[in-house]
Amino acid sequence: AQSVTQLDSQVPVFEEAPVELRCNYSSSVSVYLFWYVQYPNQGLQLLLKYLSGSTLVESINGFEAEFNKSQTSFHLRKPSVHISDTAEYFCAVSRPGTASKLTFGTGTRLQVTL
Amino acid sequence: DTEVTQTPKHLVMGMTNKKSLKCEQHMGHRAMYWYKQKAKKPPELMFVYSYEKLSINESVPSRFSPECPNSSLLNLHLHALQPEDSALYLCASSQEGSAGYEQYFGPGTRLTVT
C-alpha cells in the first residue's frame, strides 16, 4: 500500500514571496503523483500531475513540482505567490495499472498575506 | 463543459430521514466517485463506478447506498445516518476508471445529521 506525508499543516507566506509545500510518499511500487488545490467552500481541482517522463511538471498558474525518486518526494513550488493562492493543497498518489484510487496526504493550508 | 454539478448544496436531515445526493457530469466520463470529507481532513474515497458498474466499495456502511442510473448521473441514497456522518460529500468523475486520469470534482454537498 502507498501513503503520503505532508509534514506542514500550515504555511504562512507574504505575497510575492516564494513558497514550497512538501510532499513525501511511501510505496514499494511505482506511483503516479498529483497535487490538488481546494479553495474555500469548493471541490478539489487538479494543479498538476506526474505520470512518467520529465520529472519537472508545471501548471498553468505558475506552480511546479519535481518528482524525486531517490528522496520519494514531490514538492510543490511557486516563485511568487498571490493572495488568490490561499487555499488547501493536497498531495495524492495512485498506483499505475490499477483502478483510479487516490490516496491523499493530510493537506497543507497555504495562507498568503500582504 | 468541464463541470461536475451536485445537488443540494446543503442538506440537514434527522437520523430517521431518507434523502439522496445527486451528481451529474456531461463530459462523457466513464468513471464516477463519491468521497467523504470531514473538516480539515483530506477526502476519503467511498465508492467508484466504472462504466456504470460499482467497482470499488471502501467498506462503507450500508446506510449509504450508491446508484448510477446512467453514465452521466450518480446518486447517493442516505438512510438512518448518524451525527458522525456529517461531512462534505464530494462527487468526482474521470475519463476512465484507471489510475492516472484526472478526477474532476464537484463543489460538494454539505450534510448535517441532527
Side-chain angles (χ1 to χ4, degrees):
Chain A
Q2 54 269 16
S3 65
V4 179
T5 301
Q6 293 180 249
L7 286 175
D8 305 306
S9 60
Q10 292 188 70
V11 173
V13 63
F14 290 112
E15 191 174 37
E16 298 184 2
V19 70
E20 178 180 81
L21 307 184
R22 296 181 293 167
C23 171
N24 288 88
Y25 69 92
S26 173
S27 177
S28 58
V29 297
S30 60
V31 294
Y32 292 146
L33 291 155
F34 307 81
W35 275 101
Y36 279 85
V37 59
Q38 186 174 29
Y39 298 101
N41 300 313
Q42 294 187 28
L44 281 73
Q45 302 172 29
L46 180 70
L47 259 184
L48 41 77
K49 64 181 179 182
Y50 172 77
L51 303 184
S52 65
S54 173
T55 57
L56 184 65
V57 289
E58 298 176 349
S59 72
I60 56 172
N61 54 0
F63 283 95
E64 65 177 31
E66 185 159 20
F67 171 58
N68 188 318
K69 188 175 181 180
S70 63
Q71 297 190 9
T72 60
S73 67
F74 191 56
H75 301 331
L76 182 70
R77 293 187 291 264
K78 189 171 186 180
S80 176
V81 295
H82 190 267
I83 288 281
S84 59
D85 292 323
T86 294
E88 191 82 23
Y89 291 78
F90 293 99
C91 183
V93 299
S94 65
R95 261 182 61 190
T98 66
S100 183
K101 184 175 168 180
L102 289 171
T103 300
F104 288 93
T106 50
T108 297
R109 169 77 177 169
L110 176 62
Q111 183 68 52
V112 182
T113 54
L114 293 171
Chain B
D1 182 7
T2 58
E3 191 179 19
V4 175
T5 59
Q6 291 187 244
T7 55
K9 289 186 178 178
H10 301 273
L11 178 62
V12 179
M13 60 185 290
M15 289 189 283
T16 58
N17 291 159
K18 283 185 181 181
K19 296 286 185 183
S20 296
L21 309 184
K22 296 186 185 303
C23 174
E24 191 166 5
Q25 57 88 13
H26 294 289
M27 295 178 278
H29 289 175
R30 304 317 301 256
M32 296 187 77
Y33 312 77
W34 280 116
Y35 288 86
K36 174 182 177 180
Q37 186 178 26
K38 301 283 274 185
K40 300 188 187 304
K41 297 288 187 183
E44 297 174 5
L45 183 66
M46 300 174 73
F47 303 104
V48 181
Y49 273 83
S50 182
Y51 289 85
E52 301 165 45
K53 292 192 185 328
L54 184 65
S55 61
I56 295 179
N57 176 344
E58 291 287 278
S59 303
V60 178
S62 60
R63 58 185 184 269
F64 295 91
S65 175
E67 179 197 20
C68 189
N70 60 56
S71 60
S72 299
L73 292 173
L74 186 65
N75 298 321
L76 186 63
H77 303 298
L78 314 172
H79 173 55
L81 295 192
Q82 304 297 311
E84 59 265 28
D85 296 322
S86 298
L88 182 67
Y89 288 84
L90 295 165
C91 173
S93 70
S94 63
Q95 186 178 339
E96 297 283 342
S98 49
Y101 287 96
E102 175 180 353
Q103 292 187 24
Y104 292 79
F105 285 79
T109 293
R110 190 161 299 281
L111 174 67
T112 303
V113 181
T114 60

